[in-house]
Amino acid sequence: MTDKYPVEALLRPPVEIYAASTYLLIAAVMVVAPSIMMMTPGVAYVSAFLLSLRGTQRFLQARKIIRYQKGLRKLPEFKMNSDQVPVSYKKLFLGKGFAWDVRHTQRLHDLRRREGLKYTQQSLAYRLARKIEYKLEHFRIAQPLLNLLGSQRFYFLTQPPSKHVKGFMFAVAITLSKFSLANPVAPLPPVGGKPELHAVGLWEGEDDTLMDLLERVGHTLVLGTTRVGKTRLAEILITQDIRRGDVTIVFDPKGDADLFKRMYNEAKKAGRLDNFYFFHLGYADVSARYNTVGSFERVTEVASRTSSQLPGEGQSATFREFVWRYVNVIAKALNTLGRKVDITQIKFYAEDIEPLVVDYLEDYLQKNSKEADWKKTVDLYTACYKDKEDGFKRTQTSASRGDRSLALVKYCEEQELLDYVSSSLVATFKYDPRHLDKLIASLMPLMEKLTTGKCAELISPDYLDEEDPRPIFTWSEVIRTGGIVYVGLDALSDPEVAAAVGNSMFADLTSVSGRIYKHGINHGLPGAEDKKKTAINIHCDEFNELIGEEFIPLLNKAGGAGFQVTAYTQTWSDVNAKLGNHDKAGQVAGNLNTMIMLRVQEEKTAQMLTSKLNKVDINLLTLLSEASDDEDPNSDKHFSSKAGQRQTTQSVELIEPADLTSLPKGQAFALLEGGKPYKIRLPLPDDSDLDGLPSKLTTIVEDMRENYKSCANDWYRFDNSFKEAA
């Protein structure tokens, strides 16, 4: 029971209860009849007090043993609504738990021995109750009994008394209606796993598990298979981020209705609805709009964000470099013309660059030509190309080009009026169109993904349409104003478009992080000279659906700008498969310093946590028993026997991969503060406070529940009989 003993003895009968009963009984006799103990009253009372203290001490020791053994089968409920979630400006609340050390490994090892099996198995009465529920499920007459066995508490009177009951009987009825007893064979919640993984530390008391907010800049990885509580953990973290006033950006590829509803309600409670943006590819009619390439510090960023989504391994690298140059030429020209750069414009001119050449050269000549009648000369050249006069005949590469564009190019070259933008345009214009189409073949599928259907309205917004009420946001604006953004990518309907839009957003965020790192969040505003940084929390659900080349720089370099990424995924193999490169996956893992792992099914994923921990020595007790015969016929001793125990040690892993594959739902191991292991459990959600959505958003939430069957948030729910009884 104390640290002075080399081996804990927790798997045994609570024998301290007998000593406690004896102490308290004698103390009672001393108080009631001191003469029986042949003591004066004064001496008896003092002795009774001292014996009571000793008895209470022994009783508490017995209570710890009983509590420990009871917790091995069933954990106490841990439920919390959003108002109860603690919010701190220094710490991040993760759940309740304790720091894991060699003591807990020792207790688990003891439970897995043959002697410890009886402490983890459910009682005979519990198993019998579940068997009755199964056998009598289809018998109508047995429903009252099944409801009783399936309830959490036995209520003596389920209905309040009627008006006709008066006087003493009314008081009795009221009392009985409020009185209940716990059901000793109540069904456990369907969370599965092994409750002893948390119970080995629960008996000593669990406390709020907190993470220092300064550690979040190192980014966080949350791993767990489906329906084990990843989204619930995300709700807890997002709730704190919103109420703390941080910038909160949530990427939800599949669309979780409860997660969106939680974000909206928390923004409403925090008084931040004015800065709440709903972006969803599946609900373009009500979604906010966002230009994926409209915000940049250098125009080259447009080409980098676009081409980075194309394959870049082996021979594909050459084509990607050419695509980068081609998009950069278009972006430079649009930017110089004063037009808003967006994906639709890039796609339009990528398919046919000739109209852009005409527009740019005419604008350039209008501003820079020294000849007032340059238009007449160009018109003359146009007529000459049309009539195929000498000196104006088309070559094989210009056979499909228009007369006007060829005339403008010829005039500018003769007058040597080409600047760095127009020279790039003309050089690109002179490519053989058939050869050019092959070089940019990889670009066009990406452009189609981003500009097909209503998606084009969202990522290429019309800034001049005053009748469109849908807001337009940029990441710089969101960060500067302390915004909250929910990004639904509709990956279940169209994973290709979801990945393309998500990667474009990540590339834009990476660019914004660079500007914030250099200049601060107010860069570009009049009189803004500060380099103030703010916490920018990015939550990426289904991380494996989102990750690409654009995400790696965000993890590598954005921490200095205050970006804090929390990534949620099922297995690390999903990330490996998406990136297609083990080294790149390792590069991503190396930038995720905090790890929270719920139940996982892949041993490799479990080893990501267990391999970071040192091995420990646990104590083993070996029973020794031997007997020997005496061969001397003249000896009075015919045989001898000896029994004892031997203590040895064995080196084992502090946490084994099998522990992570058998966690109950809603429980996790976490490596915090540079690799310290913690065992935590998440609170069950109380959705009673998720009300008050506008009618339009209520329709969206209901539609999301219908179309996006997400089970991430109902892992804790009981069946109908339990809910009705509770």
Side-chain angles (χ1 to χ4, degrees):
M1 287 300 299
T2 62
D3 293 338
K4 66 181 180 180
Y5 298 108
V7 178
E8 284 184 315
L10 298 175
L11 302 181
R12 58 174 176 78
V15 294
E16 292 89 348
I17 199 73
Y18 305 127
S21 301
T22 303
Y23 283 127
L24 295 175
L25 179 61
I26 295 175
V29 172
M30 288 181 175
V31 172
V32 175
S35 59
I36 295 178
M37 307 301 294
M38 293 182 292
M39 292 181 178
T40 62
V43 174
Y45 296 154
V46 173
S47 300
F49 175 73
L50 296 176
L51 289 176
S52 298
L53 291 179
R54 180 60 173 165
T56 301
Q57 180 189 20
R58 299 296 282 172
F59 174 78
L60 293 177
Q61 291 174 346
R63 182 174 175 270
K64 287 183 178 180
I65 296 293
I66 296 171
R67 182 184 176 191
Y68 174 74
Q69 295 176 1
K70 182 180 178 181
L72 295 173
R73 299 186 178 96
K74 183 178 180 181
L75 296 176
E77 184 182 82
F78 177 29
K79 196 169 186 178
M80 181 180 289
N81 60 37
S82 64
D83 292 333
Q84 296 171 327
V85 175
V87 178
S88 168
Y89 292 94
K90 295 182 179 180
K91 301 289 184 179
L92 182 70
F93 172 77
L94 300 177
K96 284 190 176 293
F98 50 88
W100 187 276
D101 57 36
V102 64
R103 296 172 300 165
H104 307 109
T105 305
Q106 176 75 60
R107 293 166 191 165
L108 273 182
H109 187 273
D110 293 341
L111 281 168
R112 288 166 182 164
R113 301 179 66 182
R114 183 171 59 86
E115 298 84 352
L117 291 178
K118 64 179 181 179
Y119 294 99
T120 58
Q121 294 177 346
Q122 296 297 334
S123 66
L124 178 62
Y126 180 91
R127 298 197 299 271
L128 181 61
R130 303 290 80 78
K131 189 173 183 179
I132 291 174
E133 288 179 337
Y134 173 71
K135 293 291 186 182
L136 303 181
E137 178 183 357
H138 301 291
F139 291 89
R140 203 173 201 180
I141 194 173
Q143 289 305 311
L145 174 61
L146 298 183
N147 291 337
L148 189 67
L149 293 176
S151 64
Q152 292 292 296
R153 302 190 70 84
F154 294 146
Y155 290 88
F156 286 84
L157 189 64
T158 57
Q159 297 292 333
S162 66
K163 301 177 183 178
H164 304 292
V165 180
K166 297 181 179 180
F168 175 74
M169 294 303 298
F170 179 82
V172 172
I174 285 291
T175 303
L176 291 177
S177 66
K178 297 180 179 180
F179 190 69
S180 63
L181 291 176
N183 180 6
V185 294
L188 297 176
V191 296
K194 299 178 180 179
E196 61 265 25
L197 286 170
H198 197 81
V200 293
L202 181 65
W203 76 292
E204 293 172 320
E206 59 181 355
D207 201 358
D208 290 350
T209 302
L210 305 174
M211 172 182 166
D212 198 310
L213 287 179
L214 297 177
E215 294 289 327
R216 293 191 73 185
V217 181
H219 311 304
T220 304
L221 174 64
V222 179
L223 291 158
T225 188
T226 56
R227 300 190 66 184
V228 296
K230 291 196 304 295
T231 305
R232 176 53 183 163
L233 176 60
E235 286 188 26
I236 295 172
L237 303 185
I238 292 168
T239 293
Q240 296 175 74
D241 291 340
I242 292 175
R243 292 169 62 184
R244 196 184 299 111
D246 293 348
V247 176
T248 306
I249 303 169
V250 177
F251 288 88
D252 186 7
K254 294 184 178 179
D256 188 282
D258 290 328
L259 179 59
F260 163 60
K261 194 174 180 180
R262 174 70 65 185
M263 288 185 65
Y264 181 89
N265 276 271
E266 294 303 330
K268 183 178 179 181
K269 290 180 180 179
R272 300 177 63 189
L273 272 183
D274 291 341
N275 295 325
F276 181 83
Y277 296 93
F278 172 73
F279 178 92
H280 202 295
L281 296 177
Y283 301 96
D285 294 336
V286 295
S287 170
R289 295 172 291 168
Y290 161 76
N291 188 346
T292 57
V293 294
S295 175
F296 51 83
E297 187 175 19
R298 291 179 296 183
V299 71
T300 52
E301 296 175 21
V302 176
S304 298
R305 295 178 204 169
T306 305
S307 63
S308 62
Q309 300 188 52
L310 303 177
E313 302 294 334
Q315 296 180 351
S316 299
T318 303
F319 291 96
R320 187 166 79 167
E321 291 299 318
F322 187 86
V323 168
W324 185 96
R325 179 188 178 278
Y326 189 63
V327 174
N328 189 58
V329 168
I330 295 173
K332 284 193 302 182
L334 289 172
N335 188 57
T336 306
L337 287 171
R339 300 179 186 177
K340 193 66 177 178
V341 182
D342 59 37
I343 293 296
T344 302
Q345 292 282 319
I346 292 174
K347 177 181 180 296
F348 178 79
Y349 292 119
E351 292 175 334
D352 184 8
I353 201 172
E354 186 172 348
L356 182 60
V357 173
V358 173
D359 291 347
Y360 185 86
L361 292 181
E362 287 185 345
D363 181 78
Y364 180 74
L365 290 173
Q366 183 68 34
K367 296 176 180 177
N368 299 281
S369 178
K370 297 179 180 178
E371 296 184 8
D373 57 348
W374 66 268
K375 289 185 179 181
K376 292 182 180 180
T377 306
V378 172
D379 290 340
L380 177 61
Y381 285 1
T382 303
C384 292
Y385 272 109
K386 185 176 182 180
D387 297 334
K388 300 180 181 179
E389 296 183 4
D390 293 339
F392 293 92
K393 292 182 180 180
R394 288 176 170 79
T395 63
Q396 184 177 359
T397 59
S398 63
S400 61
R401 298 301 187 186
D403 301 327
R404 183 71 175 178
S405 57
L406 291 173
L408 284 166
V409 170
K410 185 176 181 64
Y411 178 81
C412 288
E413 289 179 337
E414 288 178 349
Q415 300 296 321
E416 297 182 352
L417 290 174
L418 295 177
D419 63 352
Y420 81 102
V421 177
S422 56
S423 60
S424 299
L425 269 174
V426 170
T428 306
F429 174 74
K430 289 182 177 181
Y431 272 98
D432 185 343
R434 292 171 296 179
H435 182 55
L436 182 64
D437 289 342
K438 294 178 182 179
L439 291 174
I440 64 170
S442 58
L443 172 65
M444 302 320 297
L446 175 63
M447 294 292 100
E448 286 292 337
K449 293 175 186 177
L450 296 174
T451 59
T452 300
K454 292 187 176 182
C455 177
E457 300 177 10
L458 298 185
I459 64 174
S460 299
D462 184 357
Y463 291 84
L464 302 179
D465 186 0
E466 297 181 357
E467 296 182 359
D468 193 337
R470 295 174 296 178
I472 302 174
F473 69 89
T474 64
W475 292 129
S476 297
E477 177 189 0
V478 167
I479 294 169
R480 190 162 48 243
T481 60
I484 304 168
V485 184
Y486 172 86
V487 179
L489 296 174
D490 200 21
L492 291 176
S493 301
D494 197 336
E496 294 292 332
V497 173
V501 174
N503 288 335
S504 297
M505 287 184 162
F506 285 134
D508 192 4
L509 277 169
T510 304
S511 174
V512 171
S513 71
R515 293 201 296 272
I516 293 175
Y517 184 79
K518 290 184 291 185
H519 308 294
I521 62 176
N522 293 321
H523 175 61
L525 295 179
E529 298 180 357
D530 65 292
K531 293 190 176 184
K532 178 183 176 183
K533 297 181 178 65
T534 186
I536 303 160
N537 297 298
I538 303 175
H539 297 265
C540 303
D541 199 8
E542 302 296 341
F543 176 57
N544 56 292
E545 299 279 351
L546 298 169
I547 190 170
E549 295 282 349
E550 304 76 19
F551 202 89
I552 297 175
L554 187 66
L555 294 175
N556 278 343
K557 304 174 179 66
F563 282 61
Q564 303 172 163
V565 177
T566 304
Y568 309 79
T569 190
Q570 297 177 13
T571 68
W572 194 248
S573 293
D574 294 333
V575 178
N576 271 320
K578 186 63 182 291
L579 290 174
N581 188 306
H582 182 74
D583 292 333
K584 287 183 179 178
Q587 187 179 5
V588 173
N591 285 282
L592 297 165
N593 291 281
T594 299
M595 184 183 298
I596 302 173
M597 190 172 291
L598 295 95
R599 183 199 298 175
V600 294
Q601 294 301 322
E602 187 184 55
E603 186 175 358
K604 282 184 179 179
T605 302
Q607 289 174 346
M608 288 182 65
L609 184 144
T610 59
S611 62
K612 298 179 185 297
L613 302 173
N614 296 326
K615 288 189 174 183
V616 294
D617 291 334
I618 61 171
N619 295 319
L620 297 177
L621 288 178
T622 304
L623 296 177
L624 300 176
S625 179
E626 60 182 48
S628 60
D629 296 329
D630 193 339
E631 298 178 357
D632 185 0
N634 299 319
S635 174
D636 295 333
K637 183 173 68 172
H638 300 292
F639 70 91
S640 63
S641 63
K642 183 170 62 175
Q645 286 183 329
R646 176 182 297 168
Q647 178 184 328
T648 58
T649 60
Q650 178 181 348
S651 179
V652 298
E653 293 185 358
L654 184 64
I655 300 172
E656 298 181 0
D659 297 333
L660 292 160
T661 60
S662 56
L663 278 170
K665 298 175 183 178
Q667 295 188 21
F669 282 98
L671 294 183
L672 309 176
E673 301 170 0
K676 296 180 182 178
Y678 285 81
K679 176 66 181 63
I680 61 177
R681 59 178 180 142
L682 311 179
L684 304 182
D686 184 354
D687 297 336
S688 60
D689 55 348
L690 294 183
D691 296 317
L693 262 69
S695 58
K696 184 181 291 187
L697 293 183
T698 301
T699 303
I700 292 175
V701 168
E702 292 173 355
D703 191 62
M704 288 172 69
R705 282 205 182 98
E706 182 67 25
N707 294 326
Y708 307 124
K709 296 295 185 182
S710 175
C711 300
N713 239 23
D714 63 352
W715 51 266
Y716 59 89
R717 301 192 189 281
F718 302 89
D719 57 22
N720 290 332
S721 61
F722 169 79
K723 288 190 287 185
E724 292 171 0

